[in-house]
Amino acid sequence: MSTRPSYYVTTPIYYVNDVPHIGHAYTTLACDVLARFKRLDGYDVMFLTGTDEHGQKVEKSAAGAGVDPQSFCDRVSARFQALATAMNFSNDQFIRTTEDRHKRAVQHLWQRIADAGYIYESAYSGWYSVSDEAFYSEKELTDRADGTKVAPSGSTVEWVEEPSFFFKLSAFQDRLLELYETQPDFVMPSSRLNEVKSFVRGGLEDLSVSRTTFTWGVPVPGADGHIMYVWIDALTNYLTATGYPDEGSKDYRTFWPADVHMVGKDILRFHAVYWPAFLMAAGLPLPRRVFAHGWWTNEGEKISKSKGNVIDPFALIDDFGLDPVRYFLLREVPFGNDGDFSRAAFVNRCNADLANDLGNLAQRTLSMIHKNCNGALPAPGDLTDADRELLDGVDGLLDIVRPHMDRQAFHKALGAIWDQVGAANTYISEQAPWTLKKTDAERMSTVLYVVAETIRQFAILAQPVTPDAAAALLDLLDIDAGARGFDALGAGGRLAAGRPIVKPSGVFPRLELETDGEKNA
């Protein structure tokens, strides 16, 4: 096993009944940033994403498309894999629940729970949403004017009666409440934890965990005609990727339990109630955290296919470039809250923070060095209090950023970095090296060196969020590939005077807002 600390982060696996949208990109981006950050911080990382390919909804969608379920899954899963490539995600695995290794893991987990006495056979009668792949009690439903019953998600439900196996979820109410009390960071943010606690305190009913009215799924061991409930199938993917049921495998011993399951708030119950209960029943360690983020609206309106306002991440990348998309999604809105996407806000944020604050700082500083210092990094002279203050602020950034990242407060982490970018811009304006070149060339060299050193550290810290642009900045400074980790931050990694630099080119181009008549997202 590696001597480095380990970190395991997962996205939910995405259901293959639709094409990828901004919500999928947002969740996976958050995980990608965590994974990149931890790798740079010296961790042995596993970052998992993938697709959830079983269930009644998939079977129906495949039939509607006139293809068999596996062909349907192959086609849609490929689109999610294309999104991972387009967004420059650094996932270590892309899992599919139709893989044989996953079917083995799910059946093993089922048998382990059954052997422990927590699964029994009976019959289910109640309300079920095919769209949500979820069961609902009468008290959770509302009635439309036409008498149709609707789940909290807005999806319609149907009355289902069939033989079923049940999981004794009711047996875990007290243990779950104890978990939430003793480990309050198990569910984040805290507002979501309160929702989960309220749901569990309201009483847990045993959960139907098999179906007999369709066939596209993992068969229940030893029970002909029964297909596992899609959520017990889907959730087990987090174990499958570590090599489970081989608990002696290197990946299992290194990475389980997971550090963060990142999910949208709509599937929090499955991850924060059902999943830990399944693991408790199986006698397996629990993940350390489930983080439920919010939803995006589009120009103030709820996103829906019927409104035609779904935000296509591929189109966003085509319009604005990848790194601005990555930056905006994690900088604009406090992570965990709902947020509104607008093209004006996007352009304004990226132009202010990326093009103006960091991009312009780098461009004018490195251009001055290239033109006035013989194309090489200058040697600094004696440092003033202003020099030391700026360098001390940048040297200490990791200690500020790391706790924010560990709590998935991406907006705060980026805010801390850009506060120092602002300080560097204030410093260069006050020191005015363009004036000093006429009056004090040695002082000009010191000022330019100090700012170049801040750019080096900004670029290293920005790598998890804007990997391409950060790499371009580090290339301009001729930073070796082995000197781009967080261990190179601070005084120990200072720029070497005399190192040649190429003539700089812009890293963050200014974005333009489309005028009336041009296409909208």
Side-chain angles (χ1 to χ4, degrees):
M1 292 178 66
S2 172
T3 57
R4 295 181 295 166
S6 63
Y7 194 81
Y8 181 24
V9 58
T10 72
T11 74
I13 50 173
Y14 301 119
Y15 210 53
V16 292
N17 68 311
D18 204 355
V19 296
H21 55 66
I22 197 67
H24 303 120
Y26 186 51
T27 313
T28 314
L29 172 61
C31 294
D32 180 60
V33 170
L34 285 174
R36 288 176 181 271
F37 186 92
K38 289 296 183 180
R39 292 190 195 106
L40 290 164
D41 210 13
Y43 282 70
D44 188 4
V45 172
M46 182 186 285
F47 165 26
L48 176 69
T49 190
T51 44
D52 175 10
E53 304 183 12
H54 288 136
Q56 186 176 7
K57 186 162 53 173
V58 171
E59 190 174 77
K60 285 187 173 182
S61 296
V67 297
D68 64 274
Q70 187 63 60
S71 298
F72 178 83
C73 292
D74 291 345
R75 184 175 68 199
V76 183
S77 180
R79 190 67 172 158
F80 282 93
Q81 294 180 61
L83 176 66
T85 300
M87 290 289 294
N88 195 12
F89 294 146
S90 63
N91 51 291
D92 299 286
Q93 290 191 54
F94 188 100
I95 194 168
R96 300 180 58 187
T97 56
T98 48
E99 295 178 47
D100 288 340
R101 63 167 176 161
H102 179 67
K103 295 172 186 176
R104 286 194 298 272
V106 176
Q107 290 184 324
H108 187 277
L109 183 68
W110 176 288
Q111 195 61 57
R112 188 163 175 160
I113 295 171
D115 290 347
Y118 291 108
I119 290 178
Y120 62 92
E121 189 170 8
S122 184
Y124 177 78
S125 59
W127 296 105
Y128 184 75
S129 165
V130 174
S131 177
D132 298 343
E133 297 283 10
F135 303 96
Y136 292 103
S137 64
E138 187 79 36
K139 64 184 179 183
E140 294 179 280
L141 305 178
T142 55
D143 292 319
R144 288 180 178 165
D146 62 1
T148 304
K149 291 190 177 293
V150 181
S153 64
S155 63
T156 59
V157 296
E158 59 186 40
W159 186 259
V160 174
E161 295 184 9
E162 61 183 314
S164 180
F165 285 92
F166 283 78
F167 171 70
K168 293 182 181 179
L169 183 63
S170 59
F172 293 90
Q173 181 168 334
D174 291 342
R175 288 180 64 181
L176 288 168
L177 290 173
E178 181 183 9
L179 169 67
Y180 308 144
E181 291 299 326
T182 58
Q183 299 181 45
D185 287 347
F186 179 76
V187 177
M188 289 185 67
S190 57
S191 59
R192 304 297 174 209
L193 174 63
N194 293 333
E195 292 174 11
V196 170
K197 288 163 69 173
S198 176
F199 173 75
V200 175
R201 285 196 190 106
L204 296 177
E205 298 178 356
D206 290 351
L207 181 67
S208 172
V209 288
S210 76
R211 303 292 305 277
T212 58
T213 52
F214 62 94
T215 61
W216 184 242
V218 179
V220 171
D224 290 345
H226 283 264
I227 296 297
M228 287 189 205
Y229 175 42
V230 70
W231 275 104
I232 197 170
D233 171 0
L235 292 163
T236 305
N237 92 91
Y238 306 131
L239 282 171
T240 304
T242 68
Y244 182 86
D246 180 6
E247 295 176 50
S249 70
K250 177 180 179 294
D251 282 348
Y252 183 89
R253 290 182 292 119
T254 301
F255 295 112
W256 192 259
D259 291 274
V260 179
H261 290 322
M262 189 70 70
V263 302
K265 63 181 182 178
D266 54 321
I267 55 173
L268 177 59
R269 180 188 304 181
F270 304 101
H271 285 80
V273 181
Y274 299 169
W275 182 225
F278 294 155
L279 293 169
M280 288 174 181
L284 294 171
L286 306 186
R288 295 184 176 92
R289 177 171 302 158
V290 176
F291 195 105
H293 65 73
W295 289 343
W296 286 90
T297 53
N298 187 358
E299 306 285 355
E301 289 194 337
K302 184 177 179 180
I303 294 174
S304 70
K305 286 189 290 186
S306 61
K307 289 183 178 179
N309 66 345
V310 173
I311 302 172
D312 179 355
F314 296 98
L316 270 187
I317 295 166
D318 287 344
D319 288 347
F320 296 119
L322 176 56
D323 278 357
V325 171
R326 290 174 60 104
Y327 180 81
F328 176 84
L329 290 177
L330 291 185
R331 179 69 177 92
E332 183 70 7
V333 176
F335 196 72
N337 293 2
D338 291 339
D340 183 52
F341 179 89
S342 82
R343 295 179 78 89
F346 185 103
V347 168
N348 291 338
R349 167 68 74 180
C350 292
N351 282 344
D353 292 6
L354 301 181
N356 294 352
D357 289 352
L358 181 53
N360 189 47
L361 176 70
Q363 180 69 19
R364 62 177 172 167
T365 301
L366 300 183
S367 292
M368 279 201 72
I369 290 173
H370 190 267
K371 183 177 180 180
N372 298 289
C373 303
N374 299 316
L377 291 167
D382 293 335
L383 299 182
T384 66
D385 287 345
D387 302 337
R388 293 191 189 91
E389 181 180 0
L390 180 61
L391 289 173
D392 286 348
V394 177
D395 290 347
L397 260 179
L398 181 59
D399 290 336
I400 298 172
V401 170
R402 186 188 282 126
H404 292 320
M405 296 295 287
D406 283 341
R407 293 186 67 80
Q408 291 74 62
F410 303 105
H411 61 294
K412 291 183 178 179
L414 290 170
I417 296 169
W418 257 260
D419 283 347
Q420 286 299 315
V421 173
N425 275 296
T426 299
Y427 167 88
I428 198 171
S429 295
E430 292 176 346
Q431 299 300 320
W434 42 87
T435 300
L436 290 170
K437 75 176 183 178
K438 303 173 185 177
T439 60
D440 191 342
E442 181 180 350
R443 178 62 189 156
M444 175 199 73
S445 294
T446 300
V447 170
L448 292 175
Y449 177 89
V450 168
V451 179
E453 169 60 16
T454 70
I455 293 167
R456 178 187 75 87
Q457 298 202 51
F458 295 146
I460 289 174
L461 286 165
Q463 288 176 100
V465 179
T466 57
D468 292 340
L473 282 175
L474 293 168
D475 287 346
L476 290 174
L477 291 168
D478 195 27
I479 303 299
D480 294 337
R484 299 184 177 194
F486 291 165
D487 56 349
L489 291 169
R494 289 280 189 259
L495 288 169
R499 173 170 283 188
I501 64 168
V502 299
K503 184 177 181 180
S505 55
V507 171
F508 293 110
R510 284 190 61 80
L511 305 178
E512 298 295 332
L513 189 63
E514 293 167 341
T515 58
D516 291 342
E518 294 182 302
K519 69 175 184 177
N520 293 313

